[in-house]
Amino acid sequence: MTTLPDRQNTALLVIDVQNGVVVPGSWNRDAVIANINTLIDKARAEGVPVVWVQHQDEELVPGSDIWEYVPELKRLDTEALVHKRYRDSFEDTDLESVLAARKVGRLVVTGAQTDFCVRSTLHGALARGYDATLVADAHTTEDLTEYGAPAPEQVIAHTNFYWSGQHAPGRRGGTVNTADVTFTAAG
């Protein structure tokens, strides 16, 4: 349903699954990474673009170990890599041109952190005319309760709940579990 013309394709977006973001203790870390790997394998087998997003800031310094993707995930050199400095993966990056070149109008979104970059990117995608499906069991966040945030499992559950019904004129959000992901647009 995307509002973007001539954008019939879907891409898998892998946001910030970096050593310094998906830290030990991140909610359901190993299962989330395994689900992302399952989706990457499925996308590759179906010829669906896998687009990797990698955050950098004062702490996540390019080239440092914590800036690198977790070792369980392997990006192919042929797969797009988008570097970002803001939570929304579209903001001041080449993500839009990467997607346009691949005629992508629908995103299947995975990654970290749920309550920061994943949410911001979902909203950014919808506002820019994309359909954006969140994979409910393929995103995570760390425990930030000491700062007044809800427990990670509540952050995940709430994000899945509110994104499941997200829509705007001519485009939609939604959630799906890894086992039920299809890379073709429904309806």
Side-chain angles (χ1 to χ4, degrees):
M1 267 185 10
T2 178
T3 60
L4 302 168
D6 195 30
R7 298 287 196 93
Q8 66 278 8
N9 295 331
T10 299
L12 176 65
L13 201 59
V14 182
I15 302 172
D16 302 349
V17 189
Q18 297 163 254
N19 290 320
V21 179
V22 183
V23 296
S26 291
W27 184 82
N28 216 13
R29 179 196 184 280
D30 294 341
V32 166
I33 291 171
N35 287 340
I36 294 171
N37 257 326
T38 296
L39 293 164
I40 290 168
D41 290 345
K42 182 175 180 156
R44 288 173 179 162
E46 294 182 22
V48 170
V50 179
V51 179
W52 301 74
V53 178
Q54 191 172 31
H55 192 82
Q56 65 185 55
D57 58 25
E58 314 77 49
E59 295 174 15
L60 294 169
V61 177
S64 68
D65 183 59
I66 65 170
W67 176 75
E68 297 294 336
Y69 260 78
V70 296
E72 298 95 329
L73 299 181
K74 302 292 184 213
R75 181 184 146 265
L76 300 179
D77 290 339
T78 56
E79 294 170 337
L81 176 60
V82 174
H83 295 282
K84 71 178 181 65
R85 294 180 179 271
Y86 301 99
R87 292 178 180 168
D88 179 349
S89 299
F90 289 92
E91 194 64 43
D92 197 27
T93 70
D94 64 348
L95 180 57
E96 170 53 29
S97 61
V98 165
L99 298 173
R102 291 159 178 80
K103 297 184 182 247
V104 170
R106 178 175 174 256
L107 299 175
V108 175
V109 178
T110 68
Q113 294 199 113
T114 300
D115 37 353
F116 294 103
C117 298
V118 171
R119 281 187 190 171
S120 294
T121 299
L122 286 166
H123 286 285
L126 201 67
R128 288 171 174 88
Y130 292 86
D131 290 332
T133 301
L134 175 62
V135 184
D137 56 357
H139 62 100
T140 188
T141 193
E142 66 182 308
D143 187 341
L144 299 172
T145 54
E146 70 180 277
Y147 302 103
E153 60 274 13
Q154 292 173 320
V155 171
I156 304 292
H158 181 254
T159 301
N160 288 340
F161 172 71
Y162 89 77
W163 199 255
S164 68
Q166 200 62 252
H167 63 280
R171 56 212 187 270
R172 64 176 164 226
T175 58
V176 64
N177 287 322
T178 297
D180 299 319
V181 167
T182 61
F183 290 111
T184 56

